[in-house]
Amino acid sequence: MEQHIRVMYDTTELRSGDLMFRNGLSAESLVVTQASNSDYSHVGIAYHMPSGWHVIHAVPGEAPQGEPEYLKCEPIADFYDPSRAMAGASASIRCDNASALRAAREAFSKVEQKVLFDNDYDLNDTTELYCSELVWRAYLKEGINLVNDGNSYSTIYPELLWTSPQIAKRKVFRTTIEK
């Protein structure tokens, strides 16, 4: 009998603009967690829509075969689907709700513009974005630098966002094993 780990995400205190973290199951996820010594390999931004909570993110390997890897906005249940996630968490940025919402809308505008995933992880090229770059740039537009620690980075890993001094509150989601 096959078992699945299910992330028991919680939206009760969530606001648009909160950061949504997950540890994925792919080989790429393993590389990211090992390279950054992190529990999380991926990050997106929560966005409340009329149909419910969604996550805006940039991810490789989830587009249908032969389709471009555009940034996406998908239901939170899909973001934390057992085929994609084995751990998850959320984090709120130290800012007012209006700033957080504008950051989420900025990220969503990149989905609407059909921006592609940045397979080169190049911070100097803003025509394509990877997950942490999307989040970082959305908040940077609000004047909030999530990685302003005096260092210069060639790649921003989710761990840099998770440990940012701009985080006001972190919530680690529990997981369960389902048969």
Side-chain angles (χ1 to χ4, degrees):
M1 182 174 287
E2 192 172 332
Q3 295 183 346
H4 296 281
I5 295 175
R6 180 166 300 279
V7 176
M8 306 304 290
Y9 59 86
D10 182 4
T11 62
T12 54
E13 297 177 18
L14 201 59
R15 70 176 179 174
S16 288
D18 281 357
L19 279 51
M20 306 305 293
F21 293 86
R22 78 176 183 204
N23 189 8
L25 304 171
S26 68
E28 293 90 347
S29 295
L30 182 60
V31 168
V32 170
T33 56
Q34 287 182 344
S36 62
N37 193 28
S38 176
D39 292 331
Y40 304 107
S41 58
H42 189 56
V43 64
I45 296 182
Y47 190 46
H48 194 265
M49 302 176 78
S51 58
W53 283 105
H54 286 67
V55 179
I56 303 160
H57 62 120
V59 64
E62 291 185 7
Q65 186 72 27
E67 295 290 319
E69 292 182 319
Y70 293 119
L71 274 60
K72 58 202 281 187
C73 179
E74 66 182 354
I76 193 169
D78 292 349
F79 185 78
Y80 288 116
D81 187 272
S83 67
R84 297 180 179 168
M86 64 177 151
S90 64
S92 294
I93 303 302
R94 292 184 198 283
C95 66
D96 58 43
N97 290 344
S99 295
L101 178 59
R102 284 192 302 270
R105 287 182 177 155
E106 172 63 18
F108 187 72
S109 76
K110 301 304 181 191
V111 173
E112 292 177 316
Q113 293 168 26
K114 294 195 177 289
V115 171
L116 289 166
F117 179 81
D118 182 0
N119 284 296
D120 295 325
Y121 297 86
D122 183 356
L123 277 178
N124 295 315
D125 176 7
T126 59
T127 62
E128 296 179 344
L129 301 169
Y130 59 92
C131 69
S132 347
E133 181 185 12
L134 168 67
V135 171
W136 174 66
R137 289 194 183 284
Y139 271 96
L140 200 57
K141 189 157 186 189
E142 284 301 304
I144 300 168
N145 189 343
L146 300 177
V147 296
N148 187 13
D149 60 5
N151 292 314
S152 177
Y153 296 99
S154 58
T155 303
I156 297 173
Y157 289 105
E159 179 67 10
L160 283 172
L161 302 178
W162 179 250
T163 59
S164 172
Q166 298 294 339
I167 300 291
K169 179 175 56 171
R170 293 170 185 83
K171 183 177 207 172
V172 175
F173 302 138
R174 67 181 185 87
T175 57
T176 63
I177 297 177
E178 298 179 340
K179 294 179 180 180

